[in-house]
Amino acid sequence: MGQIAARMTPEQTYPAPVVMGKESIMSKKAHGTSHVPVQSNLRWNVDQEVADRICNFNRHYAEHSGYFQGITEFLQETKKIPADEEITFYDSNTGKPLYYAPRGRTMAEFLAESRAHGWPSFRDAEVNWDYVRVLPNGETVSVDGTHLGHNLPDGKGNRYCINLVCVAGNPDGDCASS
């Protein structure tokens, strides 16, 4: 992901539907860039320590490429989901719904693109813009200060290269139905 950061434009505005965020979202808070640590019961048995470090004490780095492919519980869920349904990916800190996949494509297409890039790769239609922001350098974050990954546009449009550990939360009852 370090090479990715080097390719990003320092200050850029992305067109709608992207909701741009301000650097202040990622200001120091009680727990790194967030008010709270990651949930103690993250989904898919992802590594809680890795999640906390990447989500709250990091602005540029990521879980290793292909990490999600070694998370058996996640891969099993993708196989079990009916073709007309999607998985909701929740903020690992707050439990707010951030992404819904697949939308506008099949699960096989979502997984193939994610495998090709090494991280879960979401498209504009799969982003919940109530809770996700893109900073001018492409860093993609939650409105609560969780580092999620980066927007790395390609020939098909915006592609959000997101750390699975940062979207492995359980739903917060107050916003799970949003």
Side-chain angles (χ1 to χ4, degrees), residues 89-109:
F89 296 81
Y90 298 95
D91 187 314
S92 291
N93 289 323
T94 67
K96 292 178 180 175
L98 303 178
Y99 298 94
Y100 310 96
R103 276 197 180 165
R105 57 184 170 167
T106 66
M107 182 62 77
E109 291 167 330

Side-chain angles (χ1 to χ4, degrees), residues 4-131:
I4 292 169
R7 292 187 304 198
M8 293 184 295
T9 307
E11 297 296 319
Q12 185 170 339
T13 301
Y14 299 91
V18 173
V19 178
M20 297 298 295
K22 296 183 181 200
E23 183 64 30
S24 60
I25 293 171
M26 299 303 284
S27 64
K28 183 147 178 56
K29 299 177 187 73
H31 192 78
T33 58
S34 179
H35 291 290
V36 296
V38 296
Q39 298 171 349
S40 61
N41 59 339
L42 294 173
R43 291 170 22 188
W44 307 308
N45 201 29
V46 300
D47 187 307
Q48 186 176 0
E49 185 178 316
V50 170
D52 199 49
R53 181 173 26 97
I54 292 172
C55 295
N56 299 312
F57 298 97
N58 164 62
R59 298 290 305 279
H60 303 289
Y61 299 102
E63 64 203 18
H64 66 80
S65 177
Y67 175 87
F68 80 95
Q69 294 179 76
I71 304 301
T72 306
E73 293 87 344
F74 172 69
L75 296 175
Q76 288 173 342
E77 184 173 338
T78 66
K79 289 177 185 170
K80 290 179 188 173
I81 194 148
D84 61 341
E85 292 186 22
E86 56 196 25
I87 295 174
T88 301
F89 296 81
Y90 298 95
D91 187 314
S92 291
N93 289 323
T94 67
K96 292 178 180 175
L98 303 178
Y99 298 94
Y100 310 96
R103 276 197 180 165
R105 57 184 170 167
T106 66
M107 182 62 77
E109 291 167 330
F110 168 73
L111 290 172
E113 181 172 51
S114 297
R115 276 189 213 97
H117 296 287
W119 288 269
S121 295
F122 299 92
R123 295 294 176 168
D124 286 333
E126 297 168 322
V127 181
N128 182 348
W129 293 111
D130 291 340
Y131 301 118

